[in-house]
Amino acid sequence: MSGEDLESGRGCDDLLGVLWGKSEEKAGGTMNLLLSHLLDTAAVAERMWDGFLAPSTRRNLDGIAGGVGRGRRLFAWLCGVHDCGKATPAFQRMWPKGAEAVRAAGLGWSDSAISRCTWRHDRAGGYLLRGLLSSADWRDEHVDWVWPLAAGHHGAFPDWTTTKPTPRARGQLAGGGRWPEAQAALVQRFTQELGFRDLADVEPSCVPSRAAQLHVSGLIVMADWIASDEKHFRGVDTLARVTIDRARDRAGRAWVALRLRGGWGRLAEPGPEAFKDRFGEGPRVSQTMVMEAARRMQAPGLLVVEAPMGEGKTKAALMAAEILAAKFGADGVFVGMPTQSTSDPMFGQVRTWAAAVDEELASQVALLHGKRMFNKEWRDLLDGGTEGPESRFGGIDEYGECGDDDLYGEGVATQRGHPVRSSQRGPAEWFLGAKRGLLCPFVVGTIDQLLFAATRTKHVMLRMAGLAGKVVVLDEVHASDIYMSQFLMEGLRWLGQAEVPVVLLSATLPPQQRRDLIDAYLSGAASREEFTADGLPEPRGYPSVSATWMAQDGSGPRFDVDTCEGWRDDLHITVELMAETVPGPRAVPEQREAAMAEANAAVATYLGRALADGGCALVIRNTVDRAQSFYSELRKSFGDDVLLLHGRIAVGPRADRTAECLRLLGAQKKDQPSARPARLIVVATQIAEQSFDVDADLLITDLAPIDLLLQRVGRLHRHQGTERGGRLAEPRVVITGFAGADGTPEMAGSENIAVALDRPAPRFLGGSEFIYGRHLLLRTAAHLFTAADGANGWSIPGQVPELVAAGYGAGEEGVPPAWRGDVEAARLRWEDEQRKRIEAAAGYLLTRRGDREGGTLSGLHYASVPGAGRDTDLDAVVRDGEAGAEVIVVLKDGETYRTLSGRPLTMNGDVPDALLDDVLGGTVRLPPRYTAAVAQELAPLPGWLGHPRFCYSPALVLDAQRRTVLADRGVRYERDLGLVEEGAVPGTRG
């Protein structure tokens, strides 16, 4: 054998011709050689470079590789070499037929030595690659960041020690004899097929940031999964037919068939006229301010936009995203919303904007949350298919799970016999599987999608790859509590280091939270463990924009803070207090019911006077049972002029009811008559707090923390041009849900404010304290009492920053002297709870404290975290409050099941396509107290077990009276009230 043959790997053709990467069963009936799979993956990577990667990503890879035009080949090599660890006895022995051929070629092993030992091929790849690269005289700093890319391609990054084969196998896992020769020949042949002279020629020029490494890692996984699809990459078992040209041909055909694509590519920076082109109207002053701030940014950074509800922050943010994408080479946008219900309307807005940029882009916007199947616009975009992509591209465990190792090298399972529906509409279906949604070029979803990318969970690199290369827009960031904020700040650290432009929106952002978010982004951009933006100016007005980025010369952060006048004048809002009886913690149920009935009657009487001549009121209660009770009271006097909206109404009726509220009280559409009724009362819970574009003449709300209270006030006199008469001509908010210190209302109402301020602090509803904590309620109450004293009131939105800052402050300013002891004790309890929640979140964050300046991905997954499967498994990781289990409510009529709306199913509950939406529309989220009982007592109907959408959905079966018993408690479902709890059932152990 000549030296040239050794260097090229061609002297080992007999070995390369038997090393298998996919078994016959997992490669379309023909074994796929390992070299073939490496070249297929590299060829897919080339396609990704040409038609998927953002300009900023390509530019970054060019820099890593040493110059313009060099990044493409390095990227293809990094993607293709990922499976080199399969060239080991530990893997090759796993398919008996393949193992026989490998042994016959002279590559042997001792079964007795390795039969009880395991060595995963991803970790083996990291181990082998480290040795091969060192032998090729790569510098240590490049060896150190490259080997984890191979070791982590199945979703978790081990440290170096765990990649080593166990000594118990006596060297048999890696192989002796000709095994090192075969391993070196495989990598060498693969390397030269890509056009490199040898392995030394591959060595990068500079070490990328850890965030860039994580981004590349996610792209490697993407390339591997695509190249592992046996439909498009059938096995090649003859070495002579394994070439990069053949692999490129296969990859090209697969790319077209899968309809994969990037976003808008290289985008021209939009000019001043673009706003009107996109939205059909000129920009407001605040929107122009935001766009100009984006234009002035000299490097990717963070843009914090604070403006009142209804100011037009969303449109400003989308235009800022377009400007930032053009300036810095982003190829798409992720828009994160606080909830699923707020994501749905944003989906339509983003599609409209995308279509105005380029008509083709509207179909490339993906909706990403657990209930997207209920969104008609999303379903229509997918062309009405009855079998969703989630069923065909289901669990990630089917696409890359590596337990002890992939049995027979399956890597990616087939689509389990499901036919692929060819659709020319909507995002490519490949993007719609588990953990891949963020890879779609344009995505609207819940903020949880970004929070998941900040967790130390399996395949987190895929989520980061979906965010890097985009502009990230997060709305209503104030809605993240202290626990969720830990993941938000961790995500911002990684995005800052990845040079991802981020736009944050809020109407009521506390100043400290603004500083924390900016510090987090800059700490990532500076690759520092901690960072404090000492020179950050405070906004001196409202609306405001705060832009920050790291100077490209390394001299530190730059800040650009601006303010302007809002588009509408301040409203002087009158604040009234309506105290009520609040029983103590030891009160019996009868006392609580009497107190609630008394409070309901008082508010109903108030509304009767206020709406005597007509008008529309919004009443927000902090708990569902309180909203249901008050709705029932109002129906006695107001009949059909009352609507109820809360989270325990089934999703179908709730969507209809929400749409009706928006139709009646939403912004009037041009050239259409007003649908606003003469009189209407909407009773709601916090579901009406955010992104609920209704205009109320009068607001009555339970006490809540100041920022949330101001969000509710944002529904008051929201739209200009609405006719209002009498007392309703002036905006008025009435605060309920509190009592005097003794639990009675006598000394805590508007007529006795001066007395109340000199007495001990008020008592709040138990449900309100459970949700929000006493500390924030007390600070809010202090400012409310002051605002209600005389004719002070509030000037909104101008006073919003001042009120939020005061509500979240730590000093005694504004707190009545008589309350200060109670306030201080509540503050200490609150701070202790906050610390505990921060510590609880820390265990799930992607990086642990002290490791944020790490240079490689080695050991990133130092401990396992739950949530390796579906996104729903991760909800418990990024949100510490138990959300409760979801069930589908069905009715049992004799031997026949019916949907919640009454339409018949079969005896087994089989769901025909025509009733799909009707059954799904019966989904209800139960209170957390029922979660254990749902798992123990409920199951899918027999006819659901084989259905892709219902096989995991427990059914809550109600009798003819729409009742059942769950967890020894009676529950019923009423059309108006939704799910109602009836209490313990006599005769049960509860």
Side-chain angles (χ1 to χ4, degrees):
M1 187 184 306
S2 69
E4 184 178 341
D5 285 340
L6 281 172
E7 289 180 2
S8 68
R10 297 191 182 279
C12 295
D13 280 5
D14 57 329
L15 307 182
L16 299 184
V18 295
L19 291 174
W20 59 274
K22 305 286 180 186
S23 67
E24 293 173 351
E25 293 85 349
K26 298 302 177 183
T30 303
M31 177 267 283
N32 199 28
L33 288 171
L34 180 53
L35 179 61
S36 174
H37 177 59
L38 302 191
L39 291 174
D40 284 342
T41 308
V44 170
E46 292 176 342
R47 282 286 175 168
M48 290 167 58
W49 179 282
D50 296 338
F52 178 76
L53 298 191
S56 59
T57 303
R58 296 198 298 268
R59 185 170 59 244
N60 190 26
L61 284 164
D62 274 341
I64 296 167
V68 176
R70 301 194 62 178
R72 185 176 187 268
R73 191 167 54 168
L74 173 63
F75 176 62
W77 186 89
L78 290 171
C79 290
V81 81
H82 73 286
D83 256 354
C84 66
K86 289 184 176 180
T88 58
F91 181 86
Q92 293 295 314
R93 65 181 292 271
M94 298 183 73
W95 178 40
K97 183 176 179 179
E100 183 179 352
V102 171
R103 279 182 143 160
L107 294 173
W109 58 83
S110 168
D111 281 324
S112 62
I114 62 175
S115 60
R116 289 190 295 272
C117 301
T118 59
W119 196 29
R120 295 165 43 131
H121 79 259
D122 50 351
R123 298 188 179 191
Y127 177 82
L128 295 181
L129 200 56
R130 178 168 175 167
L132 291 169
L133 298 181
S134 296
S135 297
D137 293 327
W138 276 35
R139 286 168 288 176
D140 289 345
E141 61 263 32
H142 292 306
V143 175
D144 289 345
W145 75 262
V146 169
W147 72 257
L149 301 181
H153 81 265
H154 274 288
F157 298 102
D159 60 29
W160 169 242
T161 58
T162 60
T163 66
K164 299 177 182 179
T166 174
R168 291 186 293 110
R170 303 193 303 275
Q172 292 296 300
L173 290 172
R178 295 190 68 190
W179 274 105
E181 180 184 345
Q183 292 155 357
L186 173 72
V187 175
Q188 186 74 358
R189 174 73 71 87
F190 163 72
T191 299
Q192 292 185 336
E193 283 283 339
L194 293 185
F196 292 102
R197 290 189 306 273
D198 52 27
L199 200 52
D201 192 32
V202 183
E203 185 177 19
S205 175
C206 67
V207 177
S209 69
R210 188 156 63 160
Q213 295 170 35
L214 191 64
H215 181 192
V216 170
S217 174
L219 297 173
I220 291 171
V221 175
M222 177 180 175
D224 179 28
W225 290 1
I226 294 171
S228 296
D229 181 351
E230 68 181 75
K231 178 181 178 183
H232 301 291
F233 296 88
R234 296 178 66 84
V236 180
D237 59 0
T238 304
L239 186 63
R241 295 176 53 232
V242 177
T243 66
I244 187 59
D245 289 336
R246 290 177 183 268
R248 285 167 177 158
D249 181 62
R250 284 147 63 92
R253 285 185 274 110
W255 192 263
V256 172
L258 291 172
R259 297 177 50 246
L260 298 171
R261 57 162 292 172
W264 44 43
R266 196 168 297 280
L267 187 69
E269 184 170 335
E273 74 291 342
F275 191 98
K276 187 171 184 180
D277 293 341
R278 304 291 185 261
F279 305 113
E281 60 189 17
R284 295 169 179 165
V285 174
S286 62
Q287 293 166 332
T288 298
M289 175 184 70
V290 172
M291 291 187 289
E292 291 306 311
R295 294 186 201 281
R296 292 192 297 269
M297 294 178 71
Q298 299 168 17
L302 181 67
L303 199 68
V304 182
V305 180
E306 299 173 70
M309 295 71 74
E311 182 72 21
K313 294 187 292 296
T314 298
K315 292 177 180 178
L318 293 176
M319 285 307 307
E322 197 175 331
I323 292 166
L324 294 171
K327 286 174 66 72
F328 305 121
D331 193 40
V333 174
F334 168 68
V335 179
M337 302 297 294
T339 62
Q340 294 175 354
S341 61
T342 55
S343 298
D344 285 340
M346 182 59 68
F347 175 60
Q349 292 181 51
V350 171
R351 291 194 69 220
T352 300
W353 162 72
V357 176
D358 182 335
E359 189 175 348
E360 292 185 359
L361 296 181
S363 64
Q364 301 304 310
V365 182
L367 180 61
L368 198 58
H369 64 67
K371 292 293 174 293
R372 61 183 175 180
M373 77 283 287
F374 296 118
N375 184 288
K376 185 177 185 301
E377 186 175 0
W378 172 250
R379 293 200 309 273
D380 290 346
L381 186 61
L382 295 187
D383 210 20
T386 58
E387 180 187 19
E390 291 89 341
S391 65
R392 294 191 299 281
F393 301 105
I396 198 66
D397 291 345
E398 301 169 10
Y399 274 78
E401 172 61 63
C402 188
D404 290 333
D405 214 318
D406 289 347
L407 184 61
Y408 302 159
E410 56 222 306
V412 176
T414 64
Q415 294 171 8
R416 295 187 179 264
H418 292 296
V420 176
R421 172 173 54 83
S422 177
S423 171
Q424 298 304 310
R425 304 179 63 212
E429 291 191 41
W430 191 92
F431 289 131
L432 306 183
K435 299 187 181 179
R436 277 165 282 168
L438 284 174
L439 292 167
C440 193
F442 301 95
V443 181
V444 177
T446 57
I447 192 175
D448 301 62
Q449 301 301 325
L450 182 142
L451 305 184
F452 295 160
T455 60
R456 197 181 61 260
T457 45
K458 202 169 184 184
H459 293 106
V460 67
M461 68 283 288
L462 270 179
R463 302 184 191 277
M464 184 56 66
L467 293 170
K470 287 184 173 69
V471 177
V472 171
V473 178
L474 302 178
D475 197 4
E476 316 239 28
V477 290
H478 58 268
S480 297
D481 62 20
I482 190 66
Y483 183 87
M484 291 175 63
S485 289
Q486 304 311 301
F487 298 96
L488 175 56
M489 290 188 290
E490 176 74 355
L492 288 175
R493 280 189 283 268
W494 281 90
L495 294 178
Q497 190 177 67
E499 299 182 326
V500 174
V502 177
V503 182
L504 304 181
L505 309 179
S506 178
T508 55
L509 189 65
Q512 186 58 52
Q513 190 176 5
R514 182 200 313 117
R515 290 189 288 270
D516 290 344
L517 296 174
I518 290 174
D519 287 348
Y521 186 92
L522 289 176
S523 71
S527 296
R528 297 260 297 275
E529 178 75 20
E530 301 287 349
F531 193 94
T532 301
D534 293 323
L536 177 65
E538 288 288 328
R540 295 184 177 276
Y542 185 70
S544 70
V545 60
S546 302
T548 182
W549 63 92
M550 277 292 176
Q552 293 177 307
D553 61 5
S555 58
R558 297 290 182 267
F559 306 111
D560 183 1
V561 177
D562 199 5
T563 63
C564 69
E565 294 293 326
W567 75 278
R568 57 186 285 182
D569 294 335
D570 279 358
L571 291 173
H572 180 79
I573 294 179
T574 300
V575 178
E576 291 186 7
L577 305 180
M578 185 181 293
E580 60 188 80
T581 299
V582 177
R586 296 183 180 179
V588 298
E590 291 78 11
Q591 291 174 308
R592 299 183 187 281
E593 291 170 7
M596 188 178 293
E598 178 187 308
N600 289 342
V603 179
T605 300
Y606 183 97
L607 285 169
R609 293 194 304 268
L611 304 183
D613 298 323
C616 300
L618 173 63
V619 181
I620 299 180
R621 300 305 217 189
N622 286 345
T623 60
V624 171
D625 60 341
R626 193 164 156 85
Q628 291 172 326
S629 175
F630 184 54
Y631 170 83
S632 298
E633 176 67 26
L634 286 181
R635 290 279 292 181
K636 300 174 185 176
S637 304
F638 292 89
D640 293 337
D641 291 341
V642 190
L643 282 175
L644 177 63
L645 195 59
H646 61 74
R648 289 185 209 154
I649 298 171
V651 294
R654 188 170 79 233
D656 293 340
R657 226 174 274 187
T658 301
E660 180 67 0
C661 287
L662 295 175
R663 184 184 73 83
L664 296 174
L665 300 181
Q668 184 176 342
K669 297 182 179 179
K670 294 179 180 178
D671 304 322
Q672 291 188 15
S674 173
R676 194 175 184 88
R679 187 173 69 172
L680 180 68
I681 303 172
V682 176
V683 180
T685 55
Q686 293 89 336
I687 201 169
E689 198 168 79
Q690 297 171 332
S691 300
F692 189 59
D693 188 14
V694 299
D695 178 353
D697 300 321
L698 171 67
L699 173 67
I700 300 177
T701 172
D702 282 346
L703 189 87
I706 190 69
D707 55 332
L708 304 181
L709 197 61
L710 290 168
Q711 288 284 339
R712 300 177 186 186
V713 170
R715 319 300 139 197
L716 187 60
H717 287 220
R718 185 178 179 93
H719 300 142
Q720 289 187 327
T722 302
E723 294 184 7
R724 315 176 206 273
R727 294 186 71 215
L728 303 179
E730 299 298 327
R732 182 180 305 271
V733 57
V734 181
I735 308 297
T736 57
F738 69 96
D742 60 355
T744 65
E746 280 71 23
M747 290 299 169
S750 292
E751 66 279 4
N752 292 304
I753 291 175
V755 176
L757 292 172
D758 288 334
R759 289 176 173 266
R763 180 185 292 178
F764 306 118
L765 295 168
S768 297
E769 285 206 21
F770 177 79
I771 297 169
Y772 302 118
R774 183 165 177 78
H775 169 63
L776 295 180
L777 293 178
L778 278 170
R779 293 197 66 88
T780 300
H783 295 285
L784 281 169
F785 278 47
T786 301
D789 190 12
N792 291 332
W794 286 338
S795 291
I796 302 297
Q799 238 183 309
V800 165
E802 168 196 335
L803 290 170
V804 173
Y808 280 85
E812 294 183 341
E813 184 178 354
V815 177
W819 297 14
R820 288 177 182 171
D822 195 346
V823 169
E824 178 64 11
R827 181 184 67 81
L828 293 174
R829 289 194 302 272
W830 179 75
E831 289 180 349
D832 183 58
E833 291 167 1
Q834 299 293 82
R835 279 192 295 271
K836 290 177 180 177
R837 296 178 73 192
I838 290 172
E839 291 169 3
Y844 299 113
L845 296 179
L846 185 51
T847 48
R848 51 188 161 182
R849 183 170 293 278
D851 186 41
R852 293 172 185 159
E853 296 181 14
T856 76
L857 300 174
S858 173
L860 192 63
H861 287 83
Y862 61 89
S864 62
V865 168
R870 298 173 296 174
D871 285 356
T872 50
D873 299 328
L874 276 174
D875 289 341
V877 173
V878 299
R879 296 177 183 263
D880 63 342
E882 192 176 0
E886 284 191 338
V887 298
I888 296 179
V889 179
V890 294
L891 310 177
K892 187 79 178 288
D893 181 8
E895 297 299 318
T896 302
Y897 291 106
R898 294 182 180 274
T899 69
L900 183 59
S901 65
R903 300 176 70 181
L905 303 172
T906 67
M907 290 180 62
N908 290 325
D910 300 276
V911 182
D913 292 346
L915 294 184
L916 185 67
D917 288 350
D918 208 5
V919 175
L920 289 171
T923 303
V924 176
R925 186 178 293 277
L926 300 177
R929 67 175 65 92
Y930 295 99
T931 299
V934 168
Q936 296 168 6
E937 301 177 28
L938 304 185
L941 297 183
W944 296 1
L945 297 178
H947 197 288
R949 286 189 176 171
F950 299 112
C951 58
Y952 298 111
S953 300
L956 183 67
V957 181
L958 306 183
D959 62 21
Q961 286 73 45
R962 294 181 170 240
R963 282 180 161 86
T964 192
V965 176
L966 182 65
D968 299 330
R969 299 172 66 89
V971 294
R972 70 179 190 275
Y973 191 93
E974 295 190 13
R975 288 184 176 87
D976 286 346
L977 294 177
L979 189 82
V980 180
E981 299 182 81
E982 296 181 331
V985 176
T988 67
R989 61 182 179 275

